[in-house]
Amino acid sequence: MLIKNDADLAGMKKVSEAVAETLRQMVEFTAVGKSTKEIDDFGAEILKNYGAKSAPYETYKFPGFTCIGVNEVAAHGIPSEDVIIKEGDLINIDVSAELDGYWADNGKSFIVGQDTQGLQSLVDASTEILKDVIYRIKKGVKVSEVGRIIESESRKRGFKVIKNLAGHGVGKSLHEAPDDILNYQVKTNKNRFKANTTVAIETFISTQSNLAVERGGDGWTLVGNRGGFVAQHEHTILITEDKPEILTEMNGVF
């Protein structure tokens, strides 16, 4: 989205605060013994208090207000009363919403309690790489540079990237151009970031897989094509002539 005036900027800041604060509180609320449906209901109430509407529900009729994945679920996890959080689980919560005609998106992977599955290095890699790449984005930088950095830094740490999930423009709708902010480099992509635009930058770092595939039946849940685990972190940012402004900074991703 191109920010054309002060009202646009205020609108994006307001919805970004709503999704960021919802994500932050949902992460704090998550604990052993709680169901993902219970966590989703908690987040839904926060969004409601902001006057915001769940983006996945409004846009795609997703069966939940937020996406919550556990362990092998890479994305689009459906909240369920049957999925109970256990010690050491890898959790991903993705919160996106619409408020007064503006949309924002953010997400975070984290481990509940003790790191019994040895996944903290995966979570740290995803977080650190996201931070690194965001602070390199400014007017004129190639969109493909994001993918180059994410993939190369993941490889250095012994991880892979999910190639068919991507960051995207956001603002007047949930998904806008550029819709190809991938986690790997496509050298033929000559598009460049523009100043005063808002985008959602996200990492999808994997232990084994390079693609996300649907896990049979529900039409939503995505897992890695070769198994393993995926960590995702995401911020909505405003691109400027220099250092970007992280609109969802208060979510606690970093």
Side-chain angles (χ1 to χ4, degrees):
M1 172 187 168
L2 176 63
I3 301 294
K4 298 179 180 179
N5 49 49
D6 290 345
D8 282 344
L9 182 57
M12 282 304 298
K13 287 185 174 181
K14 188 176 180 181
V15 68
S16 295
E17 177 186 349
V19 299
E21 186 62 22
T22 299
L23 176 60
R24 185 190 68 78
Q25 290 191 39
M26 288 177 72
V27 171
E28 290 184 353
F29 182 75
T30 301
V32 172
K34 291 181 178 177
S35 72
T36 55
K37 178 64 164 60
E38 186 179 358
I39 298 165
D40 185 57
D41 287 343
F42 177 79
E45 191 62 27
I46 300 171
L47 289 176
K48 181 180 177 181
N49 289 339
Y50 271 99
K53 298 178 181 179
S54 161
Y57 180 80
E58 292 293 321
T59 305
Y60 304 113
K61 298 305 177 186
F62 179 75
F65 297 99
T66 66
C67 299
I68 306 178
V70 179
N71 290 326
E72 74 279 2
V73 176
H76 303 166
I78 298 174
S80 171
E81 294 178 350
D82 298 326
V83 179
I84 306 300
I85 305 300
K86 301 184 297 297
E87 185 81 14
D89 277 348
L90 175 66
I91 310 296
N92 176 260
I93 301 177
D94 192 302
V95 182
S96 54
E98 178 272 334
L99 178 59
D100 297 333
Y102 297 94
W103 304 67
D105 197 355
N106 66 165
K108 179 175 182 175
S109 292
F110 59 100
I111 295 166
V112 178
Q114 295 297 312
D115 182 20
T116 59
Q117 301 183 94
L119 296 173
Q120 190 61 53
S121 60
L122 173 68
V123 172
D124 291 345
S126 180
T127 306
E128 292 163 6
I129 293 169
L130 179 65
K131 184 175 183 179
D132 181 20
V133 76
I134 281 178
Y135 282 114
R136 299 194 198 194
I137 296 173
K138 61 182 178 180
K139 176 186 176 183
V141 170
K142 287 183 178 180
V143 171
S144 63
E145 182 68 1
V146 169
R148 185 193 69 78
I149 295 168
I150 293 174
E151 185 172 34
S152 63
E153 291 301 317
S154 296
R155 285 177 174 173
K156 288 177 184 178
R157 291 166 167 81
F159 298 116
K160 304 178 186 298
V161 299
I162 299 297
K163 293 190 172 184
N164 59 338
L165 296 174
H168 50 90
V170 67
K172 282 297 186 180
S173 62
L174 180 58
H175 292 100
E176 300 177 346
D179 58 2
D180 54 357
I181 311 176
L182 299 165
N183 276 220
Y184 70 104
Q185 185 179 31
V186 178
K187 292 183 179 180
T188 56
N189 183 358
K190 304 301 182 183
N191 293 332
R192 296 178 183 271
F193 289 109
K194 300 176 182 179
N196 301 317
T197 60
T198 48
V199 297
I201 304 295
E202 50 190 319
T203 49
F204 291 95
I205 313 300
S206 169
T207 57
Q208 298 181 34
S209 296
N210 62 0
L211 294 173
V213 296
E214 185 183 329
R215 184 171 68 184
D218 64 30
W220 290 105
T221 306
L222 299 178
V223 297
N225 63 327
R226 297 173 182 168
F229 300 87
V230 177
Q232 179 258 12
H233 291 85
E234 177 182 18
H235 271 302
T236 292
I237 71 171
L238 170 65
I239 298 167
T240 72
E241 300 277 349
D242 190 20
K243 181 180 177 181
E245 182 176 354
I246 303 177
L247 300 179
T248 50
E249 186 173 18
M250 65 285 293
N251 64 18
V253 166
F254 55 73

